[in-house]
Amino acid sequence: MRRPHTRLTMFTTVVTAVVALLFGTGTGATAVQVPTIRGGTLLYAATGARCVVGFNAASGTNRYAVMTGHCSGTYATTWYADAAHTQPVGVTTGASYPIDDYGVVRYTTSALVLPGDIALGGGVYQDVTGAANPAIGQSVCHVGRTSGVHRGTVTAVNVTVNHAEGTVHGLFRSTACSEPGDTGAPAYSGSIALGFAVGSSGNCASGGVTYYQPVAEVLSVFGLTLY
């Protein structure tokens, strides 16, 4: 009378072992790390490009990364959370460069953590509550992956910059300095997003200026909002 119970126990043990093998619930299993992507995070394209997320944005239930167009490219490509291209996160859905300088990536992976804030470094984050067009005399900060947080003042809007690839219009400029590698740095004034760095002159040792793509324009074109 005990054998059916014994067989059930054995069957349950086998099932438990299979579940542990498939889902990592057994002893010593390594949990799958869910990528966290926010303003200032670096994404890796299948093309080999490495681009900084300026801001996360939303349209309905869809989530997007907004970044520089000269980095993202103007054609569809897959993006990854890691340099080894093992964790796909999204696909380019729109971009403009030259004329403008922005790219938009739609997140296509559900297993992502996508805060609406900006990483300032050292575990510090800047909350973002909305976006606005910059105004001359307005204070501005940006956070570059190379040189960190820098502060300055908006000195010009609707600026035109000429590149070898063509002319970019509608940028704004500030006295905040940048270093090589800071491209894509999210720029903000308090909790208001203003844009992201697309170019600079000078450096932080001798002084310089930074040029930005206004983020409000990108949000308007694609019907996105910051959150």
Side-chain angles (χ1 to χ4, degrees):
M1 295 294 294
R2 296 173 60 93
R3 291 183 63 84
H5 176 72
T6 302
R7 289 175 180 171
L8 179 60
T9 301
M10 293 176 60
F11 178 73
T12 302
T13 301
V14 172
V15 170
T16 301
V18 171
V19 170
L21 179 64
L22 292 176
F23 298 101
T25 58
T27 302
T30 301
V32 176
Q33 185 174 1
V34 177
T36 298
I37 303 171
R38 53 171 38 97
T41 299
L42 194 63
L43 295 184
Y44 303 83
T47 59
R50 296 161 26 121
C51 303
V52 174
V53 175
F55 303 95
N56 280 337
S59 176
T61 59
N62 292 320
R63 295 293 182 266
Y64 299 83
V66 180
M67 60 179 62
T68 61
H70 73 263
C71 183
S72 72
T74 57
Y75 42 83
T77 189
T78 301
W79 293 83
Y80 300 84
D82 62 317
H85 295 179
T86 63
Q87 295 179 300
V89 297
V91 177
T92 306
T93 59
S96 177
Y97 181 77
I99 301 178
D100 299 294
D101 197 347
Y102 57 73
V104 175
V105 173
R106 182 172 64 87
Y107 294 115
T108 55
T109 301
S110 59
L112 297 174
V113 179
L114 303 171
D117 55 20
I118 304 167
L120 303 184
V124 178
Y125 305 98
Q126 172 63 54
D127 187 29
V128 175
T129 59
N133 287 313
I136 294 176
Q138 185 176 13
S139 63
V140 61
C141 299
H142 69 238
V143 53
R145 289 191 63 84
T146 297
S147 61
V149 177
H150 293 284
R151 296 171 175 81
T153 302
V154 176
T155 56
V157 297
N158 200 26
V159 176
T160 296
V161 175
N162 296 315
H163 298 281
E165 299 86 355
T167 302
V168 177
H169 305 276
L171 305 180
F172 69 96
R173 184 180 67 226
S174 89
T175 58
C177 67
S178 296
E179 295 285 350
D182 285 344
T183 298
Y188 55 95
S189 183
S191 63
I192 301 299
L194 297 180
F196 40 90
V198 296
S200 65
S201 63
N203 55 54
C204 293
S206 60
V209 300
T210 302
Y211 297 87
Y212 311 84
Q213 165 68 49
V215 70
E217 176 188 1
V218 189
L219 301 178
S220 176
V221 169
F222 290 92
L224 307 177
T225 57
L226 301 185
Y227 57 89

